[in-house]
Amino acid sequence: MKKGFFSRVLDTLDTQLHSYLCHHNNSFNSFINRRIYGCDISKGVKIPADSSLIHWGKGVCIGGGTKIGRRVLIYQNTTIGEKNNECPTIGDNVIIYANSVIVGGIKIGEGSVIGAGSFIDKDIPPNSIAYNERKIKIKKNK
C-alpha cells in the first residue's frame, strides 16, 4: 500500500531529527534519543555523518570512549562499550548486526562483519566475518 503525503513527510522529519540527534550529541539530544528512540549514545561519541544506526538505533548503547569509523552500519539492540576502562575502536566499512555486544579496548578491523547476537571481546582482523557459537569464530571475508 502506498504511503500518503502526510505520512511520508512525518517519516522524513523523523529521519532528519534522528540523524541530527545522533550526529550532534549533547545532554539534551541524548535525553531525547533515549526517550523517543530508546538508544543511549554517550556524550563523547562521534558518529561520522556517513555512518548509520539502522532502524533508528532502537536499543543501541554506545559508551563514551568508543571510536567509530566511516560508513559503519549498526543494527538495533547493539551494545558497544567499556570493559576494564577501555573502549572499542570500530574501523571503516564495518557492519554490526542486531543484538551484538562489543566490549573492551579491542579493534574491529576495516571491512569486517559482526554477526547477529555475537559477543565480541577480542580483536577482529580487517575484512573478517566474526560470529559466536560458544566461542568467537573468525573467517576471512572474500
Side-chain angles (χ1 to χ4, degrees):
M1 185 173 188
K2 207 172 188 181
K3 281 188 173 184
F5 173 77
F6 187 68
S7 180
R8 285 184 296 186
V9 167
L10 285 179
D11 278 353
T12 302
L13 288 173
D14 183 53
T15 301
Q16 292 300 317
L17 172 65
H18 182 64
S19 177
Y20 175 82
L21 292 174
C22 286
H23 299 297
H24 298 86
N25 203 358
N26 61 39
S27 298
F28 177 72
N29 291 351
S30 185
F31 172 78
I32 298 296
N33 256 334
R34 281 194 304 275
R35 293 291 176 221
I36 294 177
Y37 299 106
C39 68
D40 189 6
I41 301 169
S42 292
K43 193 172 180 180
V45 176
K46 302 272 189 260
I47 300 175
D50 54 359
S51 293
S52 297
L53 300 177
I54 308 301
H55 301 293
W56 295 282
K58 295 278 187 195
V60 170
C61 292
I62 302 176
T66 302
K67 294 180 181 85
I68 298 177
R70 299 189 65 211
R71 296 175 299 283
V72 172
L73 299 178
I74 301 173
Y75 282 78
Q76 70 274 15
N77 298 322
T78 297
T79 300
I80 303 172
E82 183 180 301
K83 179 180 173 188
N84 299 327
N85 293 324
E86 296 178 323
C87 289
T89 300
I90 312 295
D92 296 340
N93 300 310
V94 171
I95 301 173
I96 303 170
Y97 283 105
N99 301 317
S100 296
V101 176
I102 300 171
V103 293
I106 63 169
K107 289 182 173 67
I108 307 294
E110 181 176 330
S112 293
V113 176
I114 307 300
S118 296
F119 179 87
I120 306 294
D121 62 353
K122 294 182 170 85
D123 287 345
I124 305 298
N127 301 310
S128 299
I129 300 171
Y131 59 96
N132 280 108
E133 284 178 7
R134 295 195 179 127
K135 185 176 153 184
I136 298 174
K137 298 197 179 191
I138 301 171
K139 293 183 177 182
K140 274 299 193 185
N141 197 1
K142 297 180 182 181

